[in-house]
Amino acid sequence: MTKYRFNTNCVQGTYNPKSGEPRVLPITQSTTFSYDDPDYVADLFDLKVGGSFYTRLGNPTTDAFEGKMNLLEGGVGALALSSGQSASLFAILNICKAGDHVISSSSIYGGTYNLFNVSLRKLGIDFTFVDPDADKDTILASAKPNTKVIFGETIANPGMSILDFDKFSFIAKQLDIPLIVDNTLATPYLCRPFEHGANIIIHSTSKYTDGHATSLGGILIDGGNFNWNNGKFPDLVEPDPSYHGLEYVKTFGTAAYIVKARVHLLRDYGCTPSPFNAFMFHLGLETLHLRMERHSENALKLAEFLQSHPCVDWVKYPGLKSDPYFPLAQKYMPKGASGILSFGIKGGASAGKELVKHLDLVRLVVHLGDLRTSILHPASTTHRQLSEKQQIESGILPEMIRVSVGIEDIDDIIEDFDKALHAAAK
Ligand SMILES: *Cc1c(COP(=O)(O)O)cnc(C)c1O
């Protein structure tokens, strides 16, 4: 625990230079580290001492980013990875193998859905996708004796549903399995899932963590609040033959999960971020609190504007009082509902295409969560690999436009939309 408050931790983090060292986190663009004493290097390999020995497994710049993100989420350890996809992959593979089963919310990022439903199924891990708004007994009924994880997104991308943490963590406790939450869209500024019963958090740091759309990355954070020694997770308890008999729970206690993810999965799969990208994420976090405040404020104003616009059929934004997720948003993210909203333009998919052509300030990009306001038509882009049935299950309608509201002057954003909506509706 730190003595400082959240906003101070965003700015200062865990990087604490000694006298004469750079005030700003240096980029250690080196694969290798030089040592005098072979016994010390042996201790590094045996994990008896901390330190970097090869950048695939750790690097001082990446360490600082992991330390700050861990501090902001309130975990016991973090592991930075090369993309959000690799964070989702590691989150599951660290505790599931062929023959295991996972319950996942069906309202999740399209890339995560494909990873689970296609790629991990091919490795023999079974998934059941559940409506996150179903009652707890319905979700519990999808559990099997081999269920090892329950997974959901704090704010679903792009369905915009809010995870009912109380319900999901209750189910996780009933089944004695960890709750893994993708907190990408909320960020720890708006919601801290460990305080609501989550056990593992993942982020695509390509989004709000970076905040400027410069770098691809992901991170895995361990809440240290799950008892792995319950008979369901032998790989965390029994000796690891690939690491000369290391027993993770016995040796690392509450940090067993995150240590295993690094020394086992990262060692073998190698989804390592570049130190330069870790530097960019660390820099991005310095303004996370200011950005998320403004993203949320601008998104609410744009949502209210669109709601009263004659060319708009519907608006989905959990910060709107009329939104079905407003009560959950108020409960779990009282500081704001983030910068993502979606709306249905009158005239359907074809009017949506026209809208893109008439916007000047707001650009069409396949991304969200950076400073610049952008839009996307999910049905024809991010979710095009899904069937129409799967799209609708993930909350994607054909006329739906997703907006990532930036931190420009809100009046300029509103004027751009107003002009383009009238032109597109003609
Ligand atoms: C973008 C995104 C991902 C995947 O992250 P990448 O960094 O693009 O690999 C995962 N989850 C959510 C919620 C996302 O928005």
Side-chain angles (χ1 to χ4, degrees), residues 8-244:
T8 306
N9 291 335
C10 284
V11 178
Q12 300 256 354
T14 54
Y15 174 66
N16 190 15
K18 297 190 192 76
S19 181
E21 288 182 353
R23 182 66 190 96
V24 173
L25 175 70
I27 306 173
T28 307
Q29 196 69 28
S30 181
T31 57
T32 35
F33 302 85
S34 168
Y35 295 101
D36 300 331
D37 179 359
D39 289 334
Y40 184 77
V41 180
D43 284 348
L44 276 173
F45 270 93
D46 286 346
L47 310 173
K48 285 182 186 149
V49 294
S52 309
F53 51 99
Y54 188 51
T55 284
R56 170 152 35 87
L57 288 171
N59 170 285
T61 310
T62 311
D63 282 355
F65 163 53
E66 289 166 343
K68 188 189 277 193
M69 203 65 178
N70 183 52
L71 181 64
L72 296 179
E73 286 286 20
V76 295
L79 177 66
L81 294 158
S82 52
S83 65
Q85 284 300 104
S86 49
S88 305
L89 173 73
F90 274 41
I92 301 294
L93 279 193
N94 203 34
I95 42 176
C96 292
K97 52 176 179 278
D100 287 339
H101 172 251
V102 174
I103 300 173
S104 171
S105 162
S106 60
S107 188
I108 54 172
Y109 176 65
T112 310
Y113 184 80
N114 271 332
L115 168 70
F116 289 177
N117 193 46
V118 179
S119 298
L120 288 181
R121 266 194 211 283
K122 284 188 182 170
L123 298 185
I125 301 171
D126 187 19
F127 286 82
T128 301
F129 295 93
V130 295
D131 175 357
D133 297 327
D135 62 55
K136 63 178 185 323
D137 293 330
T138 309
I139 300 177
L140 274 168
S142 65
K144 303 176 182 189
N146 56 345
T147 304
K148 297 293 168 71
V149 169
I150 181 163
F151 181 93
E153 292 181 4
T154 306
I155 306 176
N157 173 15
M160 303 306 296
S161 55
I162 306 286
L163 194 74
D164 185 339
F165 280 97
D166 281 354
K167 181 174 72 186
F168 270 68
S169 68
F170 174 86
I171 294 166
K173 287 197 182 86
Q174 283 292 108
L175 299 173
D176 204 10
I177 57 172
L179 170 60
I180 303 185
V181 171
D182 182 335
N183 200 34
T184 299
L185 264 53
T187 81
Y189 175 76
L190 297 175
C191 180
R192 304 213 323 156
F194 293 144
E195 291 170 2
H196 307 296
N199 304 106
I200 306 293
I201 294 172
I202 65 165
H203 285 266
S204 164
T205 55
S206 324
K207 313 292 169 52
Y208 286 119
T209 302
D210 172 336
H212 302 74
T214 69
S215 313
L216 205 78
I219 199 162
L220 194 57
I221 306 147
D222 185 349
N225 54 354
F226 187 82
N227 170 28
W228 302 105
N229 199 356
N230 64 355
K232 290 179 193 263
F233 303 96
D235 289 353
L236 277 163
V237 179
E238 290 165 14
D240 180 352
S242 82
Y243 216 105
H244 45 72

Side-chain angles (χ1 to χ4, degrees), residues 325-378:
Y325 293 100
F326 183 75
L328 284 175
Q330 290 292 298
K331 180 172 176 186
Y332 295 116
M333 47 198 84
K335 285 196 278 187
S338 193
I340 314 300
L341 63 85
S342 60
F343 70 92
I345 183 166
K346 281 196 176 134
S350 59
K353 277 191 190 155
E354 276 302 302
L355 177 76
V356 176
K357 292 183 197 155
H358 288 97
L359 287 164
D360 292 318
L361 178 71
V362 178
R363 299 295 173 90
L364 171 67
V365 303
V366 182
H367 188 253
L368 59 80
D370 73 84
L371 301 163
R372 289 160 279 262
T373 302
S374 58
I375 67 164
L376 180 73
H377 182 224

